[in-house]
Each structure stands twice: as structure tokens, then as C-alpha cells.
Amino acid sequence: DVVMTQTPVSLSVSLGGQVSISCRSSQSLVHNNGNTYLSWYLQKPGQSPQLLIYKVSNRFSGISDRFSGSGSGTDFTLKISRVEPDDLGVYYCGQGTQYPLTFGSGTKLEIK
Amino acid sequence: EVQLVETGGGLVQPGKSLKLTCATSGFTFSNAWMDWVRQSPEKQLEWVAQIKDKSNNYATYYAESVKGRFTISRDDSKSSVYLQMNSLKEEDTAIYYCTWLSFAYWGQGTLVTVSS
């Protein structure tokens, strides 16, 4: 199975600040078709997870350009700029390249 | 508007069975690949099962932890996907989410508690 390792486990940021979350996979996420199926999700308190970024760097419909994804192979990063109160919650990365599909353990974002 | 509504959760004893239903609307269900994902009390997300569409022979895939005990199925005429859960264990306790489009859309989840 592909193990997804997220760091840090939690972080605190001031409003208006910028944060980065790292996600590393135990195997390359490059699919045979050339695509890299790495996604980022945000679960706000009391809600279901929501998709932010798919295929490493593509923002999902309606997602602010304050969210950006980057990386390749086994190392990926989610950056959130100009942090707002509504950004708090737990961020997960997930891979869709190989069965079984797997998720990271999450990074909790708190607002100072 | 895409909607996914899960039902069927509840409290069940170890070894018993439960069937979850996900009713969908707002997209062409017959072409959709559907997944079930669960979230443990510790908040860990775990993919459970996937079912592809008719053109892919309704192929199914399972997490090793549920293989042989859970069965995913679908009824395209009802735009619904199901998860039959047998031989339930305490470690199956979780919120179960129905998802579409490679986890782009999620339902609100249904809680399954396995306890004696």
C-alpha cells in the first residue's frame, strides 16, 4: 500500500499569514498514463471533507486561488496564503494512483 | 446541484450485518464511479470500496480490511449505491461517506457503531 505521510501534525497561523503543508508518499504517484493523482482536502469542523486540489496543482471548482498545490513524484506541498478564519480545520492529502486508495493522517490548522 | 445522501447507519452488535444506501442526484449516475470512504473516531480517513460503471463491467475494488465482508453494489435505475456490511467488527465503527468523482463530492455521512 502507498503510505501518505503529512507534516506537520498541526500548525498555528495568524490571519493574513501563509502556511505550507507537506505530504510524502512511500511510492511514486505517477500513474502509467502519466498523470499524478495527488489531491488535497479540507475538513472543516462538523463537516464532510471537501476537495481543494486535484492532480497535484489543479484547484477544484469554486476554490480560492489562495490555495495552491505543487510537487512531483513522492513530494507534494499545499500552500495557503492570506489565511482567513474559514480556513481552519484539518487538511488531508490523498492518492488515487494505486489501489488501495490512501489518505494522509491530516494536518490541523489553527488560527492564532 | 450534486447531492449524495447516505442512510442506514446505526448501532449494531459485533458479527451482525448492516446495509448502507447512498441516494444521488444532480449528475449522470450511470456513468459514475462511486466510492465509500470511512472516518474513524480518531479522524483517520480510509477508503473502503469502489464500483465502476457499466462500461467497465461494474468492476469493484475493496480495502483489504473489508474484503470478503463488505460488498459494494449499485442500482442505476435508482441512482443509488449500496454497501452491504457483514461480520461487523468493533474496528468498523466510523462515519461512512459516499463519494463521487474521485472524492470531489461527498455526502454528509452516516454513523455506524459496532458495539455489544
Side-chain angles (χ1 to χ4, degrees):
Chain A
D1 298 4
V2 178
V3 177
M4 307 296 289
T5 303
Q6 283 184 241
T7 55
V9 172
S10 65
L11 69 165
S12 183
V13 62
S14 300
L15 294 176
Q18 177 175 296
V19 295
S20 292
I21 299 172
S22 172
C23 177
R24 288 186 173 177
S25 58
S26 60
Q27 302 173 34
S28 172
L29 297 187
V30 180
H31 192 275
N32 290 339
N33 63 15
N35 290 316
T36 301
Y37 295 100
L38 184 283
S39 299
W40 291 94
Y41 308 85
L42 165 61
Q43 187 172 31
K44 299 179 182 180
Q47 296 186 18
S48 304
Q50 62 180 101
L51 177 64
L52 299 174
I53 302 285
Y54 64 97
K55 286 198 286 185
V56 181
S57 59
N58 296 276
R59 278 186 297 276
F60 187 54
S61 175
I63 300 303
S64 169
D65 61 4
R66 298 185 300 104
F67 294 89
S68 63
S70 63
S72 63
T74 60
D75 287 343
F76 305 92
T77 302
L78 175 70
K79 288 186 180 179
I80 312 168
S81 61
R82 306 185 304 280
V83 170
E84 299 180 355
D86 195 45
D87 297 338
L88 75 88
V90 181
Y91 291 80
Y92 296 91
C93 62
Q95 65 84 18
T97 293
Q98 181 181 131
Y99 293 104
L101 312 180
T102 50
F103 295 90
S105 298
T107 296
K108 186 174 184 178
L109 178 65
E110 298 176 327
I111 309 297
K112 286 181 183 176
Chain B
E1 180 192 6
V2 172
Q3 287 198 328
L4 306 169
V5 179
E6 305 95 334
T7 56
L11 174 63
V12 61
Q13 294 178 329
K16 299 296 187 180
S17 299
L18 207 59
K19 186 174 184 177
L20 307 182
T21 297
C22 173
T24 76
S25 61
F27 62 99
T28 304
F29 182 82
S30 58
N31 296 336
W33 296 9
M34 302 298 297
D35 293 90
W36 285 95
V37 174
R38 66 185 181 184
Q39 186 168 38
S40 67
E42 295 76 28
K43 303 301 183 184
Q44 178 61 48
L45 292 172
E46 180 186 19
W47 170 78
V48 173
Q50 180 185 88
I51 186 166
K52 294 188 175 181
D53 63 345
K54 184 178 182 179
S55 68
N56 286 280
N57 298 315
Y58 299 121
T60 58
Y61 303 84
Y62 297 93
E64 199 62 38
S65 59
V66 307
K67 198 174 293 184
R69 299 188 298 123
F70 290 14
T71 302
I72 188 171
S73 62
R74 62 192 293 157
D75 185 337
D76 290 348
S77 68
K78 295 183 178 180
S79 298
S80 294
V81 61
Y82 309 97
L83 187 67
Q84 176 67 47
M85 305 185 293
N86 298 332
S87 304
L88 281 161
K89 306 176 181 180
E90 291 190 350
E91 51 264 42
D92 295 319
T93 294
I95 297 172
Y96 284 73
Y97 295 101
C98 169
T99 72
W100 170 55
L101 203 59
S102 300
F103 315 137
Y105 296 91
W106 299 64
Q108 85 289 347
T110 187
L111 177 61
V112 173
T113 303
V114 185
S115 174
S116 53

